[in-house]
Each structure stands twice: as C-alpha cells, then as structure tokens.
Coordinates of all heavy atoms in Angstrom, one line a residue:
M1 N -6.1 11.9 20.1 CA -5.5 10.7 19.5 C -5.1 10.9 18.1 O -5.9 11.3 17.3 CB -6.5 9.5 19.6 CG -5.9 8.3 19.2 SD -7.0 6.9 19.6 CE -7.3 6.2 18.0
K2 N -3.8 10.7 17.8 CA -3.3 10.9 16.5 C -3.3 9.6 15.7 O -2.9 8.6 16.2 CB -1.8 11.5 16.6 CG -1.2 11.8 15.3 CD 0.1 12.4 15.5 CE 0.7 12.7 14.1 NZ 2.1 13.1 14.2
I3 N -3.7 9.7 14.5 CA -3.8 8.5 13.6 C -2.4 8.3 12.9 O -1.9 9.2 12.3 CB -4.9 8.6 12.6 CG1 -6.3 8.6 13.3 CG2 -4.9 7.4 11.6 CD1 -7.4 8.8 12.4
D4 N -1.9 7.1 13.0 CA -0.6 6.8 12.3 C -1.0 6.3 10.9 O -1.2 5.2 10.6 CB 0.1 5.7 13.1 CG 1.5 5.4 12.4 OD1 1.8 5.9 11.4 OD2 2.2 4.5 13.0
W5 N -1.1 7.3 10.0 CA -1.5 7.0 8.6 C -0.6 6.0 7.9 O -1.1 5.2 7.1 CB -1.7 8.3 7.8 CG -3.0 9.0 8.2 CD1 -3.1 10.1 9.0 CD2 -4.3 8.6 8.0 NE1 -4.4 10.4 9.2 CE2 -5.2 9.5 8.6 CE3 -4.9 7.5 7.3 CZ2 -6.5 9.4 8.5 CZ3 -6.2 7.4 7.2 CH2 -7.1 8.4 7.8
K6 N 0.7 6.1 8.1 CA 1.6 5.2 7.4 C 1.3 3.8 7.8 O 1.2 2.9 7.0 CB 3.0 5.5 7.8 CG 4.1 4.7 7.1 CD 5.5 5.2 7.4 CE 6.5 4.4 6.7 NZ 7.8 4.8 7.0
R7 N 1.1 3.5 9.1 CA 0.7 2.2 9.6 C -0.6 1.8 9.1 O -0.9 0.6 8.7 CB 0.8 2.2 11.1 CG 0.7 0.7 11.6 CD 1.0 0.7 13.1 NE -0.1 -0.1 13.7 CZ -0.6 0.1 14.8 NH1 -0.2 1.0 15.6 NH2 -1.5 -0.7 15.3
K8 N -1.6 2.7 9.1 CA -3.0 2.4 8.7 C -3.0 2.0 7.2 O -3.6 1.0 6.8 CB -3.8 3.6 9.0 CG -5.3 3.5 8.6 CD -6.1 2.7 9.6 CE -6.1 3.3 10.9 NZ -6.8 2.4 11.9
L9 N -2.3 2.8 6.4 CA -2.3 2.5 4.9 C -1.6 1.3 4.5 O -1.7 0.7 3.5 CB -1.8 3.7 4.2 CG -2.7 5.0 4.2 CD1 -2.0 6.1 3.5 CD2 -4.0 4.7 3.6
S10 N -0.7 0.8 5.4 CA 0.1 -0.4 5.1 C -0.7 -1.7 5.6 O -0.2 -2.8 5.5 CB 1.5 -0.3 5.7 OG 1.4 -0.3 7.1
S11 N -1.8 -1.5 6.2 CA -2.6 -2.6 6.8 C -3.5 -3.2 5.7 O -4.4 -2.6 5.1 CB -3.4 -2.1 8.0 OG -4.4 -3.1 8.3
R12 N -3.3 -4.5 5.5 CA -4.2 -5.3 4.6 C -5.6 -5.3 5.1 O -6.6 -5.3 4.4 CB -3.7 -6.7 4.4 CG -2.4 -6.7 3.6 CD -1.8 -8.0 3.5 NE -1.4 -8.4 4.9 CZ -0.8 -9.5 5.2 NH1 -0.6 -10.4 4.3 NH2 -0.5 -9.8 6.4
K13 N -5.8 -5.3 6.5 CA -7.1 -5.3 7.1 C -7.8 -4.0 6.8 O -9.0 -4.0 6.5 CB -7.0 -5.5 8.6 CG -6.5 -6.8 9.0 CD -6.3 -6.9 10.5 CE -5.5 -8.1 11.0 NZ -5.2 -8.1 12.4
F14 N -7.1 -2.9 6.8 CA -7.7 -1.6 6.5 C -8.3 -1.6 5.0 O -9.4 -1.2 4.8 CB -6.7 -0.5 6.6 CG -7.2 0.8 6.1 CD1 -8.1 1.6 6.8 CD2 -6.7 1.3 4.9 CE1 -8.5 2.8 6.3 CE2 -7.2 2.5 4.4 CZ -8.1 3.3 5.1
W15 N -7.5 -2.1 4.1 CA -7.9 -2.1 2.7 C -9.1 -3.1 2.5 O -10.0 -2.8 1.7 CB -6.7 -2.4 1.8 CG -5.8 -1.2 1.7 CD1 -4.6 -1.1 2.4 CD2 -6.0 0.0 1.1 NE1 -4.1 0.1 2.2 CE2 -4.9 0.8 1.4 CE3 -7.0 0.5 0.3 CZ2 -4.8 2.1 0.9 CZ3 -6.9 1.8 -0.2 CH2 -5.8 2.6 0.1
A16 N -9.1 -4.2 3.2 CA -10.2 -5.2 3.1 C -11.5 -4.5 3.6 O -12.5 -4.7 3.1 CB -9.9 -6.5 3.8
M17 N -11.3 -3.8 4.8 CA -12.5 -3.2 5.4 C -13.0 -2.1 4.4 O -14.2 -2.0 4.2 CB -12.1 -2.6 6.7 CG -13.2 -1.8 7.4 SD -13.5 -0.1 6.9 CE -11.9 0.7 7.0
L18 N -12.1 -1.3 3.8 CA -12.5 -0.2 2.9 C -13.3 -0.8 1.7 O -14.3 -0.3 1.3 CB -11.3 0.6 2.5 CG -11.6 1.8 1.7 CD1 -12.5 2.8 2.5 CD2 -10.3 2.5 1.3
A19 N -12.7 -1.9 1.1 CA -13.4 -2.5 0.0 C -14.8 -3.0 0.4 O -15.7 -2.9 -0.4 CB -12.5 -3.6 -0.5
A20 N -14.9 -3.7 1.5 CA -16.2 -4.2 2.0 C -17.1 -3.1 2.3 O -18.3 -3.2 1.9 CB -16.0 -5.0 3.3
L21 N -16.7 -2.0 2.8 CA -17.5 -0.8 3.1 C -18.1 -0.2 1.8 O -19.3 0.0 1.6 CB -16.8 0.3 3.9 CG -17.5 1.6 4.1 CD1 -18.7 1.3 5.0 CD2 -16.6 2.6 4.7
I22 N -17.2 0.0 0.8 CA -17.6 0.5 -0.5 C -18.5 -0.4 -1.2 O -19.5 0.0 -1.7 CB -16.3 0.8 -1.3 CG1 -15.6 2.0 -0.7 CG2 -16.7 1.1 -2.8 CD1 -14.2 2.3 -1.3
L23 N -18.3 -1.7 -1.1 CA -19.2 -2.7 -1.8 C -20.5 -2.6 -1.1 O -21.6 -2.7 -1.8 CB -18.6 -4.1 -1.7 CG -19.4 -5.2 -2.4 CD1 -19.6 -4.9 -3.9 CD2 -18.7 -6.5 -2.2
S24 N -20.6 -2.5 0.2 CA -21.9 -2.4 0.9 C -22.6 -1.2 0.5 O -23.9 -1.3 0.3 CB -21.6 -2.4 2.4 OG -21.0 -3.6 2.8
V25 N -22.0 -0.1 0.5 CA -22.6 1.2 0.1 C -23.2 1.1 -1.3 O -24.3 1.5 -1.6 CB -21.7 2.4 0.3 CG1 -22.3 3.7 -0.3 CG2 -21.4 2.6 1.8
L26 N -22.3 0.6 -2.3 CA -22.8 0.5 -3.7 C -24.0 -0.4 -3.8 O -24.9 -0.2 -4.5 CB -21.6 0.0 -4.5 CG -20.4 1.0 -4.7 CD1 -19.3 0.3 -5.4 CD2 -20.9 2.3 -5.4
T27 N -23.9 -1.5 -3.1 CA -25.1 -2.5 -3.1 C -26.3 -1.8 -2.5 O -27.4 -2.0 -3.1 CB -24.7 -3.8 -2.3 OG1 -23.5 -4.3 -2.9 CG2 -25.8 -4.8 -2.3
A28 N -26.2 -1.1 -1.4 CA -27.3 -0.4 -0.8 C -28.0 0.6 -1.8 O -29.2 0.8 -1.7 CB -26.9 0.3 0.5
F29 N -27.2 1.2 -2.6 CA -27.7 2.2 -3.6 C -28.1 1.6 -4.9 O -28.4 2.3 -5.8 CB -26.7 3.3 -3.7 CG -26.7 4.3 -2.6 CD1 -25.7 4.2 -1.6 CD2 -27.7 5.2 -2.4 CE1 -25.7 5.1 -0.5 CE2 -27.7 6.0 -1.3 CZ -26.7 6.0 -0.4
G30 N -28.1 0.3 -5.0 CA -28.5 -0.4 -6.2 C -27.6 -0.3 -7.4 O -28.0 -0.4 -8.5
V31 N -26.3 -0.1 -7.2 CA -25.4 -0.1 -8.3 C -25.2 -1.5 -8.9 O -25.2 -2.4 -8.1 CB -24.0 0.5 -7.8 CG1 -22.9 0.4 -8.9 CG2 -24.1 1.9 -7.2
P32 N -25.2 -1.6 -10.2 CA -25.1 -2.9 -10.8 C -23.9 -3.7 -10.3 O -22.8 -3.1 -10.0 CB -25.0 -2.6 -12.3 CG -25.6 -1.3 -12.5 CD -25.3 -0.6 -11.2
E33 N -24.0 -5.0 -10.2 CA -23.0 -5.9 -9.7 C -21.6 -5.7 -10.4 O -20.6 -5.6 -9.8 CB -23.4 -7.3 -9.8 CG -22.5 -8.3 -9.1 CD -23.0 -9.7 -9.1 OE1 -24.2 -9.9 -8.9 OE2 -22.2 -10.6 -9.2
L34 N -21.7 -5.6 -11.7 CA -20.4 -5.4 -12.5 C -19.7 -4.1 -12.1 O -18.5 -4.1 -11.9 CB -20.7 -5.4 -14.0 CG -19.5 -5.3 -14.9 CD1 -18.5 -6.4 -14.6 CD2 -19.9 -5.3 -16.3
K35 N -20.4 -3.1 -12.0 CA -19.8 -1.8 -11.6 C -19.2 -1.9 -10.1 O -18.1 -1.4 -9.9 CB -20.8 -0.6 -11.6 CG -21.3 -0.3 -13.0 CD -20.2 0.4 -13.8 CE -20.8 0.7 -15.2 NZ -19.8 1.1 -16.1
S36 N -20.0 -2.5 -9.2 CA -19.5 -2.7 -7.9 C -18.2 -3.5 -7.8 O -17.2 -3.1 -7.1 CB -20.5 -3.4 -7.0 OG -21.7 -2.7 -6.9
E37 N -18.1 -4.5 -8.6 CA -16.9 -5.4 -8.7 C -15.7 -4.5 -9.2 O -14.6 -4.7 -8.7 CB -17.2 -6.6 -9.5 CG -18.1 -7.6 -8.9 CD -18.4 -8.8 -9.8 OE1 -17.9 -8.8 -11.0 OE2 -19.2 -9.6 -9.4
Q38 N -16.0 -3.7 -10.2 CA -14.9 -2.9 -10.8 C -14.4 -1.9 -9.7 O -13.2 -1.7 -9.6 CB -15.5 -2.1 -12.0 CG -15.7 -3.0 -13.2 CD -16.4 -2.3 -14.3 OE1 -17.1 -1.3 -14.1 NE2 -16.3 -2.8 -15.5
V39 N -15.3 -1.3 -9.0 CA -14.8 -0.4 -7.9 C -14.0 -1.1 -6.9 O -13.0 -0.6 -6.5 CB -16.0 0.4 -7.3 CG1 -15.6 1.1 -6.1 CG2 -16.7 1.3 -8.3
V40 N -14.5 -2.3 -6.5 CA -13.7 -3.0 -5.4 C -12.4 -3.5 -6.0 O -11.4 -3.4 -5.2 CB -14.6 -4.3 -5.0 CG1 -13.7 -5.2 -4.1 CG2 -15.8 -3.8 -4.2
V41 N -12.3 -3.9 -7.2 CA -11.0 -4.2 -7.8 C -10.0 -3.0 -7.8 O -8.9 -3.2 -7.5 CB -11.2 -4.8 -9.2 CG1 -9.9 -4.9 -10.0 CG2 -11.8 -6.2 -9.2
I42 N -10.5 -1.9 -8.1 CA -9.7 -0.7 -8.1 C -9.2 -0.3 -6.7 O -8.0 -0.1 -6.5 CB -10.5 0.5 -8.7 CG1 -10.7 0.3 -10.2 CG2 -9.8 1.8 -8.5 CD1 -11.6 1.3 -10.9
V43 N -10.1 -0.4 -5.8 CA -9.7 -0.1 -4.4 C -8.7 -1.1 -3.9 O -7.7 -0.7 -3.2 CB -11.0 -0.1 -3.4 CG1 -10.6 -0.1 -2.0 CG2 -11.9 1.1 -3.8
T44 N -8.9 -2.4 -4.1 CA -7.9 -3.4 -3.6 C -6.6 -3.2 -4.4 O -5.5 -3.5 -3.8 CB -8.5 -4.8 -3.7 OG1 -8.9 -5.1 -5.1 CG2 -9.6 -5.0 -2.8
G45 N -6.6 -2.8 -5.6 CA -5.4 -2.6 -6.4 C -4.6 -1.5 -5.8 O -3.4 -1.5 -5.6
I46 N -5.3 -0.4 -5.5 CA -4.7 0.8 -4.8 C -4.1 0.4 -3.5 O -3.0 0.8 -3.1 CB -5.6 2.0 -4.7 CG1 -6.0 2.5 -6.1 CG2 -5.1 3.1 -3.8 CD1 -7.1 3.5 -6.1
G47 N -4.8 -0.4 -2.8 CA -4.3 -0.9 -1.5 C -3.1 -1.7 -1.6 O -2.1 -1.6 -0.8
A48 N -3.1 -2.6 -2.6 CA -1.9 -3.4 -2.8 C -0.7 -2.6 -3.2 O 0.4 -2.8 -2.7 CB -2.1 -4.5 -3.9
I49 N -0.9 -1.6 -4.0 CA 0.2 -0.7 -4.3 C 0.7 0.1 -3.1 O 1.9 0.2 -2.9 CB -0.2 0.3 -5.4 CG1 -0.5 -0.5 -6.8 CG2 0.8 1.4 -5.6 CD1 -1.2 0.3 -7.8
A50 N -0.2 0.6 -2.3 CA 0.2 1.3 -1.1 C 1.0 0.5 -0.1 O 2.0 0.9 0.4 CB -1.1 1.9 -0.4
V51 N 0.5 -0.8 0.1 CA 1.2 -1.7 1.0 C 2.6 -2.0 0.4 O 3.6 -2.0 1.2 CB 0.4 -3.0 1.2 CG1 1.2 -4.0 1.9 CG2 -0.9 -2.7 2.0
Y52 N 2.7 -2.3 -0.8 CA 4.0 -2.6 -1.5 C 5.0 -1.4 -1.3 O 6.1 -1.6 -1.0 CB 3.8 -2.9 -2.9 CG 5.1 -3.1 -3.7 CD1 5.8 -4.3 -3.5 CD2 5.7 -2.2 -4.5 CE1 7.0 -4.6 -4.2 CE2 6.9 -2.4 -5.1 CZ 7.5 -3.6 -5.0 OH 8.7 -3.8 -5.6
M53 N 4.5 -0.2 -1.6 CA 5.4 1.0 -1.6 C 5.9 1.2 -0.1 O 7.1 1.5 0.1 CB 4.6 2.2 -2.1 CG 4.4 2.2 -3.6 SD 3.4 3.5 -4.2 CE 4.1 5.0 -3.5
L54 N 5.0 1.1 0.8 CA 5.4 1.3 2.2 C 6.3 0.2 2.7 O 7.3 0.5 3.4 CB 4.2 1.4 3.1 CG 3.3 2.7 2.9 CD1 2.0 2.6 3.6 CD2 4.1 3.9 3.3
A55 N 6.1 -1.0 2.3 CA 7.0 -2.1 2.7 C 8.4 -1.9 2.0 O 9.4 -2.1 2.7 CB 6.4 -3.4 2.3
E56 N 8.4 -1.6 0.8 CA 9.7 -1.3 0.1 C 10.4 -0.2 0.7 O 11.7 -0.2 0.9 CB 9.5 -1.1 -1.4 CG 9.2 -2.4 -2.1 CD 10.3 -3.4 -2.1 OE1 11.5 -3.1 -2.3 OE2 10.1 -4.6 -1.7
G57 N 9.7 0.9 1.1 CA 10.3 2.0 1.8 C 10.9 1.6 3.1 O 12.0 2.1 3.4
A58 N 10.3 0.8 3.8 CA 10.8 0.3 5.1 C 12.1 -0.6 4.9 O 13.0 -0.4 5.6 CB 9.8 -0.5 5.9
V59 N 12.1 -1.4 3.9 CA 13.2 -2.2 3.6 C 14.4 -1.3 3.2 O 15.5 -1.5 3.6 CB 12.9 -3.3 2.5 CG1 14.1 -3.9 1.9 CG2 11.9 -4.3 3.0
D60 N 14.1 -0.4 2.3 CA 15.2 0.6 1.9 C 15.7 1.3 3.0 O 17.0 1.6 3.1 CB 14.7 1.5 0.8 CG 14.4 0.8 -0.5 OD1 14.8 -0.3 -0.7 OD2 13.7 1.4 -1.4
K61 N 14.9 1.8 3.9 CA 15.3 2.6 5.1 C 16.2 1.7 6.0 O 17.3 2.1 6.4 CB 14.2 3.1 5.9 CG 14.6 3.9 7.1 CD 13.3 4.3 7.9 CE 13.7 5.2 9.1 NZ 14.8 4.7 10.0
E62 N 15.8 0.4 6.2 CA 16.7 -0.5 7.0 C 18.0 -0.7 6.3 O 19.0 -0.7 7.0 CB 15.9 -1.8 7.1 CG 16.6 -2.8 8.0 CD 16.8 -2.4 9.4 OE1 15.9 -1.7 9.9 OE2 17.8 -2.7 10.1
A63 N 18.0 -0.8 5.0 CA 19.3 -1.0 4.3 C 20.2 0.2 4.4 O 21.4 0.1 4.6 CB 19.0 -1.3 2.8
V64 N 19.6 1.4 4.4 CA 20.4 2.6 4.5 C 20.9 2.7 6.0 O 22.1 3.1 6.2 CB 19.6 3.9 4.1 CG1 20.3 5.2 4.6 CG2 19.3 3.9 2.7
D65 N 20.1 2.5 6.9 CA 20.4 2.6 8.3 C 21.6 1.6 8.7 O 22.4 1.9 9.5 CB 19.2 2.3 9.2 CG 18.2 3.5 9.2 OD1 18.6 4.6 8.6 OD2 17.1 3.3 9.7
S66 N 21.5 0.4 8.1 CA 22.5 -0.6 8.4 C 23.8 -0.4 7.6 O 24.8 -1.1 7.8 CB 22.0 -2.0 8.2 OG 21.8 -2.2 6.8
G67 N 23.8 0.5 6.6 CA 25.0 0.7 5.8 C 25.1 -0.2 4.6 O 26.0 -0.2 3.8
E68 N 24.1 -1.1 4.5 CA 24.1 -2.1 3.4 C 23.9 -1.4 2.1 O 24.4 -1.8 1.1 CB 22.9 -3.1 3.6 CG 22.8 -4.2 2.6 CD 21.7 -5.1 2.9 OE1 21.4 -5.4 4.1 OE2 21.0 -5.5 2.0
F69 N 23.1 -0.3 2.0 CA 22.8 0.4 0.8 C 24.0 1.0 0.2 O 24.2 1.0 -1.0 CB 21.7 1.5 1.1 CG 21.3 2.2 -0.2 CD1 20.5 1.6 -1.1 CD2 21.8 3.5 -0.4 CE1 20.1 2.3 -2.2 CE2 21.4 4.2 -1.5 CZ 20.5 3.6 -2.4
D70 N 24.9 1.5 1.1 CA 26.1 2.2 0.6 C 27.0 1.2 -0.1 O 27.6 1.5 -1.2 CB 26.9 2.8 1.8 CG 26.1 4.0 2.4 OD1 25.3 4.6 1.6 OD2 26.3 4.3 3.6
S71 N 27.2 -0.1 0.4 CA 28.0 -1.1 -0.2 C 27.4 -1.5 -1.6 O 28.2 -1.7 -2.5 CB 28.2 -2.3 0.7 OG 27.0 -2.9 0.9
V72 N 26.1 -1.6 -1.6 CA 25.5 -2.0 -2.9 C 25.7 -0.9 -3.9 O 26.0 -1.1 -5.1 CB 23.9 -2.2 -2.7 CG1 23.3 -2.4 -4.1 CG2 23.7 -3.4 -1.8
K73 N 25.6 0.4 -3.5 CA 25.8 1.5 -4.4 C 27.2 1.6 -4.9 O 27.5 1.8 -6.1 CB 25.4 2.9 -3.7 CG 25.5 4.1 -4.6 CD 25.0 5.3 -3.9 CE 25.0 6.5 -4.7 NZ 26.0 6.7 -5.7
E74 N 28.2 1.3 -4.0 CA 29.6 1.3 -4.4 C 29.9 0.2 -5.4 O 30.6 0.4 -6.4 CB 30.5 1.1 -3.2 CG 30.5 2.3 -2.3 CD 31.3 2.0 -1.0 OE1 31.9 0.9 -0.8 OE2 31.2 2.9 -0.1
E75 N 29.3 -1.0 -5.2 CA 29.5 -2.1 -6.1 C 28.9 -1.7 -7.5 O 29.4 -2.0 -8.5 CB 28.8 -3.4 -5.6 CG 29.5 -4.0 -4.4 CD 28.8 -5.1 -3.8 OE1 27.8 -5.6 -4.5 OE2 29.1 -5.6 -2.7
T76 N 27.7 -1.1 -7.5 CA 27.1 -0.7 -8.8 C 27.9 0.4 -9.5 O 28.1 0.3 -10.7 CB 25.7 -0.1 -8.5 OG1 24.9 -1.1 -7.8 CG2 25.0 0.2 -9.8
D77 N 28.5 1.3 -8.7 CA 29.3 2.4 -9.3 C 30.6 1.8 -9.9 O 31.0 2.3 -10.9 CB 29.7 3.4 -8.3 CG 28.4 4.3 -7.8 OD1 27.4 4.3 -8.5 OD2 28.5 4.9 -6.8
L78 N 31.1 0.8 -9.3 CA 32.4 0.2 -9.8 C 32.1 -0.6 -11.1 O 33.0 -0.7 -11.9 CB 32.9 -0.8 -8.7 CG 33.5 -0.2 -7.4 CD1 33.9 -1.3 -6.5 CD2 34.6 0.8 -7.7
G79 N 30.9 -1.1 -11.3 CA 30.6 -1.8 -12.4 C 30.3 -1.0 -13.7 O 30.2 -1.5 -14.8
E80 N 30.3 0.3 -13.5 CA 30.0 1.2 -14.7 C 31.2 1.4 -15.6 O 32.3 1.4 -15.3 CB 29.5 2.6 -14.2 CG 28.2 2.5 -13.5 CD 27.7 3.8 -13.0 OE1 28.4 4.8 -13.0 OE2 26.5 3.9 -12.6

C-alpha cells in the first residue's frame, strides 16, 4: 500500500493528530507545560503552512490547466 503524502500532509486531521500525539508523549515524559505548548504551536504552525502551500499549488495548477493563468500573465505583461 502506497501512502499519498501530498494528500496526507494537506489533511488538517493529520496535523491535529500529530500535535495530539506529540503533546501526549511530552506529557508522559514530564516535559513542563510551557515547553509542551511551544512544541504544539510549532507543529500546528508547520501544518498550517503545509496545508496552505498544497492548497495554493492545487489552485495554481487548476488555473494553468484551464488557461486562466496565461491570460493573467498576459494582462500583467501588458501593464509593464
């Protein structure tokens, strides 16, 4: 079974699960609450960036496939 990493990394559920797992492990090992919160904030921030980048990539791909991107580029080039 092959894992679709692009789909997996764009899943908010995946990032929520990863943050919960990391928080659970840090709590189990007695890491102070402030440090645990900082790690969870970093993980969720990285998740938000990953989801945003993949979503924007999909939107850009759709624009290129539909020819919409070419017309926007031409309009931008004409304005120079």
Side-chain angles (χ1 to χ4, degrees):
M1 184 169 121
K2 184 177 177 185
I3 296 175
D4 183 359
W5 284 105
K6 184 175 179 181
R7 192 172 132 214
K8 182 75 62 186
L9 292 175
S10 66
S11 168
R12 292 173 292 182
K13 292 176 191 173
F14 170 77
W15 289 101
M17 180 277 308
L18 187 61
L21 175 66
I22 290 171
L23 182 59
S24 298
V25 170
L26 292 174
T27 302
F29 285 103
V31 175
E33 188 175 322
L34 181 59
K35 294 289 183 193
S36 297
E37 289 173 1
Q38 290 171 337
V39 170
V40 169
V41 167
I42 291 169
V43 170
T44 54
I46 291 169
I49 291 168
V51 170
Y52 175 79
M53 289 173 52
L54 291 169
E56 284 298 310
V59 169
D60 291 346
K61 181 183 182 312
E62 183 65 32
V64 169
D65 290 348
S66 69
E68 183 181 323
F69 182 75
D70 293 333
S71 63
V72 171
K73 186 176 183 322
E74 288 172 9
E75 290 173 11
T76 305
D77 291 343
L78 293 174
E80 291 179 352

